[in-house]
Amino acid sequence: MKMKKIFIAALMALLSAGFASAQTMEEATELYNTGATMLNTGDNNGALDYFEQALTMGETIGPDATELINNCKDIIPKIHLAIAKEYASVQDSENAAKELEETIAIAKEYNNADVLSEATSLLPQVLMQQAGILLNGKQFAEAAEAYKEVTEVQPENAIAWLRMGMAYGAAQNTEAAVAAYTKAAELGQADQANKQLSNLYLIAAVNAQKAKDWAGVIENAEAAISYLDNFNAQKLIGVAALQLGQNEKAIAGFENYLALQPNAKDKSQIYYQIATAYNNMGNKGQACTYFKMIVDDPNFGEYAKHMVENELKCQ
């Protein structure tokens, strides 16, 4: 009699468990169907919530929910990707990037190769968009870090390295800017990178001139020229070298400047400075040659004439 009661109790428990499992499967299916309905109406966020709930419930049910589980794992990464694209379409690149990173993680977890490929390809584009917004907004340090994120995802992105250099340069982080430009040059952007490097060192030379750091002027101007010859850098070398008594270097700088700018508006001033450098060196012949060129100049003519006739007694 006792054994019979135990058997009946066990049978009731089994039937009850079967009923509960059926009820749970029904609930999971309802959640899935609600998610599908919301997806059809364009409510991606709402649909995602229901599919995730259906997946969680399905995983507690077990083998009976295998098809539902597989369907959820197929569609959830796709919804994350769609949400990321929505953010990107309104240029909310920060949220788009976060959503894409989550998409990539989930696509890997659920073995969805197509979504993984598309999200991985889209992420650098979104990060570039975000970095560009920061750069245009003159948030230079933040932009540099954003471009750095691009290169972590896409190490061969030469444009990202180039713009990272621009951002670091504007943030006055010269060392990091040079490293970024150098990498951009290695990846095929040598012309643009060298132009930017030349400009970077030219700015440093101008700043050194303002501080009357004449040695610094020459060092930075020569660095600028090493990447791309620049008439402004040549002129700065001439001015700084003249201040330091480096007359030969001064003459070379001024002559290079005129070679690059043959119609320079300040040509008379440059002739005056070259003449002065030659005179400092004791080269009377060359000093006379250049002073004679400016004897009729309204600004330097009177002094030049004095030097030609009285001081140097030029022939």
Side-chain angles (χ1 to χ4, degrees):
M1 186 70 175
K2 186 176 181 181
M3 181 65 70
K4 185 176 181 181
K5 287 182 179 178
I6 293 172
F7 176 76
I8 291 170
L11 180 61
M12 291 298 291
L14 184 61
L15 290 171
S16 176
F19 176 74
S21 176
Q23 187 179 40
T24 304
M25 187 63 200
E26 184 179 337
E27 290 173 352
T29 302
E30 185 177 347
L31 288 169
Y32 182 93
N33 289 337
T34 302
T37 299
M38 298 187 82
L39 190 61
N40 288 333
T41 63
D43 185 355
N44 289 326
N45 286 293
L48 179 62
D49 181 51
Y50 276 97
F51 281 119
E52 287 176 339
Q53 289 184 59
L55 175 60
T56 300
M57 187 171 289
E59 288 175 334
T60 64
I61 294 169
D64 289 344
T66 298
E67 184 178 358
L68 180 141
I69 290 169
N70 289 337
N71 288 340
C72 287
K73 287 185 174 181
D74 178 66
I75 202 165
I76 286 173
K78 294 177 181 176
I79 298 175
H80 275 289
L81 181 60
I83 292 171
K85 289 180 177 179
E86 287 178 355
Y87 282 128
S89 69
V90 295
Q91 295 194 333
D92 185 352
S93 51
E94 184 176 354
N95 281 318
K98 290 177 182 177
E99 194 64 40
L100 281 169
E101 287 168 355
E102 188 169 353
T103 301
I104 289 168
I106 291 172
K108 286 179 179 178
E109 182 182 351
Y110 295 165
N111 296 314
N112 194 318
D114 290 341
V115 171
L116 177 60
S117 176
E118 187 173 355
T120 302
S121 175
L122 187 57
L123 180 57
Q125 299 175 43
V126 170
L127 290 173
M128 283 287 283
Q129 181 186 60
Q130 181 181 5
I133 291 170
L134 291 168
L135 186 62
N136 292 335
K138 298 185 178 180
Q139 295 177 260
F140 300 122
E142 294 84 354
E145 289 303 309
Y147 283 120
K148 187 176 179 181
E149 285 186 49
V150 177
T151 62
E152 288 170 355
V153 177
Q154 218 173 36
E156 304 303 306
N157 190 325
I159 300 299
W161 285 106
L162 185 69
R163 292 180 183 170
M164 188 198 305
M166 293 178 186
Y168 274 131
Q172 298 185 342
N173 187 339
T174 303
E175 184 177 353
V178 171
Y181 284 136
T182 301
K183 186 65 177 179
E186 291 173 1
L187 294 172
Q189 289 291 321
D191 288 347
Q192 284 298 318
N194 288 341
K195 182 179 179 180
Q196 293 295 333
L197 280 163
S198 181
N199 189 57
L200 183 71
Y201 282 109
L202 179 62
I203 291 171
V206 170
N207 289 334
Q209 182 188 34
K210 291 176 182 177
K212 298 189 184 304
D213 175 12
W214 304 115
V217 171
I218 293 174
E219 179 182 355
N220 285 291
E222 287 181 338
I225 291 165
S226 72
Y227 290 104
L228 183 67
D229 204 356
N230 184 301
F231 66 87
N232 284 318
Q234 294 286 5
K235 182 179 176 180
L236 284 168
I237 289 172
V239 171
L242 197 59
Q243 289 289 334
L244 293 172
Q246 299 176 12
N247 296 297
E248 288 187 9
K249 184 182 284 289
I251 291 166
F254 288 132
E255 288 181 341
N256 289 333
Y257 168 73
L258 290 175
L260 294 168
Q261 288 286 98
N263 298 316
K265 293 181 179 180
D266 60 349
K267 183 183 289 187
S268 292
Q269 181 181 350
I270 300 302
Y271 285 157
Y272 165 79
Q273 289 170 308
I274 294 174
T276 299
Y278 274 123
N279 190 41
N280 292 341
M281 293 170 61
N283 189 330
K284 178 180 174 181
Q286 286 292 78
C288 285
T289 297
Y290 280 95
F291 276 128
K292 286 178 179 179
M293 291 180 181
I294 54 174
V295 291
D296 295 324
D297 183 82
N299 296 314
F300 300 98
E302 185 176 346
Y303 179 78
K305 190 174 182 179
H306 168 75
M307 292 298 294
V308 168
E309 295 178 355
N310 300 318
E311 295 292 328
L312 297 175
K313 300 186 185 302
C314 302
Q315 300 299 317

